[in-house]
């Protein structure tokens, strides 16, 4: 009984730490995005609040917290309140199966616990896919319940876009699953130890580079980020599905978008870039410092995740928004055949040259 | 403990299934259906069929129900009154199913699980048949402690290879049919 209690308390502590880090990262990202895009466009970015503008996220958070919460007349109050929660919860729940560091066990009060994995379930990646697909409901219902034409159009676009690109995400992942022979993110990461050519993006018998590109493009589309932010296209739909939202409800949608960005970056890191594994064995603590390997592991993981987050900003600053029919044609006629072809070739290669 | 979970999931499934057909607002019906899909997935988890649980949510909640919502929102139905026009047929079907459930219950030869899933099926209509197939697959998987996904894959490609291929053919026919329907104008021009 005591053992169960300690395990439960440890899991709760892990969840609290991961949630804290994710929310802090979101706060940091809001500033980083404005700064990075500012520099890319030869501007300074926010400079007013605090030295060099670094307190801007706190000012933004306080402003959103104290804003009046408006529910438009004619809106469906129940669904209008439910939608932001439906958008945020799936975005946060996916972090439960991400391995943030080595799969090691630590003894705590006589109980074996794994500090860097909240839960290693054998269908890890499917669990994430299942819950990210639920995130679409928040957007669709938010758009519908606002009783506004812009919101409804944004919601409809989101529905079509998420279904189309979710398919590509799922198919892009299949190649990696074929090579790793497991659905558990912990086992997939463990299969990529050693040098960087063991990462699934470069791994023999068939490098998953095409799947990687398809996954990155589709996940940008799935998180509704530029250049695929059709559901909230400012120039056409004011703000799309959250036009009518204000205050904390708006903040929930905002948090969900950024938490989703972090989640897809974590998945891309774990599946294609070796997770917490260093690119070369000598770049992590080894030998006499081997007991500190978890430290270098988590740092490598964070570095790779931040690389992807930077990629999101970079895309946003570089590319113009696609037109709606271009988006659909690109998803179904370009990405889908590439993903299917990748599965075919990978499965033939994995059959002919099974990984030792 | 397992019984407690089962009765919770089964109870919610029955309740939300009734709500799907009883509620007048189609959006609320779709939301009840969403809750029902989650609890069916929960039932799969209690049967140690995690793979089926995840696929249940990805396919039904993540794709099919989103498409339903899409259509409902496009049609912009406020309050649909036609729902209650087919009461005689519904009563007939319901009577048949109640008879079946009672027969199963009084013969006592079947395990307790099939009965509640039987009562939940009328609400899901098209889903019923697929759920039946997945139940059959979950049977052998239950015996395996580990490697649920592998067990399903192996039984699909060995024991159930023929039904699996037939199902894929049926899906192919449906795809071709929808393309023909959607592209009618192109065919007529030629």
């Amino acid at each position: 009984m005591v053992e169960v209690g300690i395990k439960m308390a440890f899991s709760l502590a892990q969840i609290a730490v991961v949630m804290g880090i994710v929310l802090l990262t979101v706060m940091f990202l809001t500033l980083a995005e404005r700064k990075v895009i500012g520099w890319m466009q030869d501007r300074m970015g926010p400079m007013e609040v605090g030295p060099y503008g670094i307190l801007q996220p706190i000012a933004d958070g306080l402003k959103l917290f104290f804003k009046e919460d408006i529910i438009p007349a004619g809106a469906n109050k129940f669904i209008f309140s439910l939608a932001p929660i439906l958008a945020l919860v799936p975005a946060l729940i996916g972090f439960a199966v991400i391995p943030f560091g080595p799969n090691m066990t630590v003894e705590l009060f006589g109980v074996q616990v794994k500090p860097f994995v909240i839960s290693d379930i054998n269908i890890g990646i499917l669990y994430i896919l299942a819950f990210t697909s639920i995130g679409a409901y928040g957007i669709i219902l938010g758009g519908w319940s606002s009783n506004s034409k812009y919101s409804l159009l944004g919601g409809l676009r989101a529905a079509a876009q998420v279904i189309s690109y979710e398919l590509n995400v799922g198919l892009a992942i299949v190649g990696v699953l074929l090579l790793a022979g497991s659905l558990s993110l912990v086992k997939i990461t463990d299969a990529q130890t050693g040098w960087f050519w063991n990462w699934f993006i470069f791994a023999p018998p068939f490098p998953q580079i095409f799947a990687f590109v398809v996954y990155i493009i589709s996940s940008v589309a799935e998180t509704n980020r530029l250049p695929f932010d059709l559901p909230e296209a400012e120039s056409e739909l004011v703000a799309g599905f959250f036009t009518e939202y204000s205050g904390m409800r708006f903040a929930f949608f905002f948090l969900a978008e950024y938490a989703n960005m972090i989640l897809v970056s974590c998945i891309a890191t774990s599946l294609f870039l070796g997770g917490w594994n260093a690119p070369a064995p000598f770049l992590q603590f080894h030998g006499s410092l081997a007991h500190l390997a978890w430290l270098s592991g988590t740092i490598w993981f964070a570095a790779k995740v931040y690389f992807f987050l930077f990629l999101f900003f970079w895309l946003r600053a570089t590319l113009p928004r696609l037109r709606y029919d271009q988006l659909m044609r690109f998803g179904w006629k370009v990405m889908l055949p590439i993903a299917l072809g990748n599965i075919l070739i990978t499965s033939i290669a994995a059959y002919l040259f099974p990984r030792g | 403990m397992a019984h407690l979970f089962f009765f919770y999931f089964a109870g919610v499934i029955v309740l939300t299934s009734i709500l799907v057909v009883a509620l007048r607002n189609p959006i609320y019906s779709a939301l009840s259906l969403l809750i029902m899909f989650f609890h069916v997935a929960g039932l799969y988890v209690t049967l140690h069929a995690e793979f089926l649980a995840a696929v249940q949510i990805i396919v039904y909640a993540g794709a099919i129900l989103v498409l339903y919502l899409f259509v409902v929102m496009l049609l912009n139905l406020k309050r649909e009154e036609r729902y209650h026009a087919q009461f005689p047929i519904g009563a007939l079907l319901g009577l048949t199913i109640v008879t079946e459930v009672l027969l199963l219950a009084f013969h006592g030869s079947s395990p307790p699980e099939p009965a509640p899933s039987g009562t939940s099926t009328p609400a899901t209509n098209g889903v019923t048949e697929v759920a039946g197939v997945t139940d059959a697959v979950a049977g052998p998987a239950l015996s395996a402690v580990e490697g649920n996904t592998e067990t399903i894959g192996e039984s699909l490609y060995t024991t159930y290879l023929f039904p699996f291929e037939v199902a894929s053919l049926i899906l192919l026919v449906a795809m071709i049919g929808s393309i023909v329907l959607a592209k009618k104008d192109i065919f007529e021009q030629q």
Side-chain angles (χ1 to χ4, degrees):
Chain A
M1 198 62 215
V2 178
E3 196 176 325
V4 175
I6 291 174
K7 272 194 173 158
M8 211 167 243
F10 189 76
S11 292
L12 281 177
Q14 276 181 313
I15 293 169
V17 168
V18 169
M19 287 298 101
I21 291 175
V22 167
L23 294 181
L24 274 179
T25 312
V26 170
M27 231 171 99
F28 170 72
L29 284 182
T30 57
L31 177 69
E33 176 163 31
R34 293 168 73 175
K35 280 283 184 194
V36 168
I37 290 176
W39 292 328
M40 285 181 178
Q41 295 168 347
D42 210 6
R43 294 185 284 114
M44 298 291 276
M47 290 294 285
E48 292 295 325
V49 190
Y52 215 66
I54 53 168
L55 296 180
Q56 186 68 39
I58 297 171
D60 286 344
L62 283 175
K63 186 189 81 174
L64 281 174
F65 196 74
F66 287 113
K67 276 239 170 171
E68 187 189 354
D69 182 40
I70 300 167
I71 298 182
N76 186 324
K77 281 204 183 78
F78 172 63
I79 294 184
F80 191 80
S81 316
L82 185 71
I85 302 168
L86 265 181
L88 182 61
V89 170
L92 293 178
I93 218 167
F95 288 99
V97 292
I98 304 271
F100 297 99
N103 187 23
M104 60 191 230
T105 49
V106 170
E107 204 171 286
L108 190 78
F109 304 118
V111 182
Q112 300 283 333
V113 288
K114 291 183 176 175
F116 297 111
V117 190
I118 296 180
S119 164
D120 175 19
I121 54 178
N122 57 8
I123 51 153
I125 187 69
L126 284 181
Y127 165 89
I128 294 180
L129 286 183
F131 278 101
T132 46
S133 64
I134 301 305
Y137 282 96
I139 295 177
I140 298 168
L141 292 173
W144 176 79
S145 64
S146 299
N147 192 31
S148 147
K149 288 189 174 55
Y150 292 127
S151 302
L152 182 66
L153 281 174
L156 287 176
R157 283 183 178 187
Q161 180 175 330
V162 169
I163 289 181
S164 311
Y165 279 85
E166 196 177 75
L167 194 69
N168 295 332
V169 167
L171 291 177
I173 287 171
V174 171
V176 172
L177 302 182
L178 282 171
L179 293 181
S182 173
L183 291 168
S184 152
L185 282 172
V186 176
K187 291 206 183 77
I188 292 172
T189 313
D190 284 343
Q192 305 177 68
T193 45
W195 288 83
F196 64 88
W197 54 75
N198 283 338
W199 296 357
F200 282 129
I201 183 175
F202 306 117
F206 185 68
Q208 294 299 305
I209 186 108
F210 296 107
F212 177 71
V213 173
V214 170
Y215 177 81
I216 292 299
I217 296 176
S218 306
S219 57
V220 172
E222 231 198 326
T223 47
N224 297 327
R225 296 281 305 175
L226 270 160
F228 301 107
D229 68 336
L230 273 299
E232 41 174 295
E234 295 95 341
S235 48
E236 308 156 38
L237 297 179
V238 188
F241 61 91
F242 54 50
T243 305
E244 304 292 341
Y245 279 89
S246 60
M248 283 315 280
R249 293 185 217 276
F250 171 79
F252 268 39
F253 275 121
F254 199 75
L255 276 176
E257 184 181 323
Y258 279 80
N260 263 324
M261 274 167 65
I262 303 172
L263 183 64
V264 297
S265 304
C266 287
I267 300 169
T269 305
S270 308
L271 289 181
F272 294 100
L273 290 190
W276 46 266
N277 290 302
F282 61 82
L283 284 175
Q284 59 192 5
F285 287 121
H286 55 94
S288 60
L289 287 171
H291 59 284
L292 283 177
W294 60 272
L295 187 64
S296 56
T298 44
I299 289 171
W300 275 112
F301 187 85
K304 289 169 189 173
V305 169
Y306 271 93
F307 164 73
F308 281 111
L309 292 172
F310 178 75
L311 194 70
F312 274 103
F313 302 155
W314 197 3
L315 287 174
R316 180 176 169 179
T318 315
L319 296 172
R321 183 181 300 128
L322 270 76
R323 215 173 55 217
Y324 192 68
D325 57 324
Q326 292 171 332
L327 174 92
M328 283 297 156
R329 201 185 311 131
F330 185 64
W332 288 98
K333 292 193 174 170
V334 180
M335 308 289 275
L336 190 66
I338 294 176
L340 285 174
N342 177 67
I343 293 176
L344 189 71
I345 297 173
T346 310
S347 41
I348 292 171
Y351 179 71
L352 293 180
F353 310 101
R355 282 164 66 91
Chain B
M1 198 67 180
H3 275 87
L4 204 68
F5 276 119
F6 169 72
F7 280 114
Y8 164 71
F9 286 126
V12 175
I13 288 170
V14 171
L15 188 75
T16 48
S17 309
I18 293 168
L19 285 180
V20 171
V21 284
L23 285 170
R24 301 241 165 173
N25 188 333
I27 299 272
Y28 286 152
S29 293
L31 278 182
S32 325
L33 199 57
L34 177 67
I35 299 170
M36 198 210 78
F37 285 149
F38 264 92
H39 285 80
V40 172
L43 266 188
Y44 286 143
V45 172
T46 59
L47 292 170
H48 301 287
E50 296 93 356
F51 180 77
L52 281 183
V55 168
Q56 160 88 13
I57 293 179
I58 294 174
V59 174
Y60 291 123
I64 293 179
L65 196 56
V66 174
L67 282 178
Y68 278 178
L69 266 184
F70 192 84
V71 173
V72 167
M73 280 160 64
L74 270 182
L75 296 176
N76 205 12
L77 306 168
K78 282 291 175 208
R79 288 191 183 276
E80 185 54 75
E81 294 298 333
R82 285 177 301 162
Y83 276 168
H84 301 269
Q86 67 272 45
F87 182 78
I89 305 168
L92 197 70
L93 280 175
L95 201 67
T96 320
I97 289 164
V98 166
T99 322
E100 278 176 16
V101 170
L102 286 180
L103 277 176
L104 282 173
F106 282 113
H107 275 279
S109 55
S110 67
E113 280 88 348
S117 71
T119 50
S120 75
T121 39
T124 52
N125 281 323
V127 178
T128 317
E129 208 172 289
V130 184
V133 172
T134 47
D135 276 346
V137 180
L142 194 64
S143 56
V145 183
E146 221 178 339
N148 180 254
T149 316
E150 287 92 329
T151 321
I152 289 176
E154 262 169 32
S155 59
L156 265 186
Y157 280 96
T158 52
T159 323
Y160 298 101
L161 182 63
F162 184 66
F164 181 72
E165 295 296 335
V166 170
S168 63
L169 269 182
I170 291 172
L171 288 176
L172 184 67
V173 169
M175 271 164 69
I176 295 172
S178 62
I179 291 169
V180 169
L181 282 178
K183 295 282 179 190
K184 219 175 214 166
D185 47 335
I186 296 175
F187 289 112
E188 275 165 4
Q189 275 167 15
Q190 289 166 351

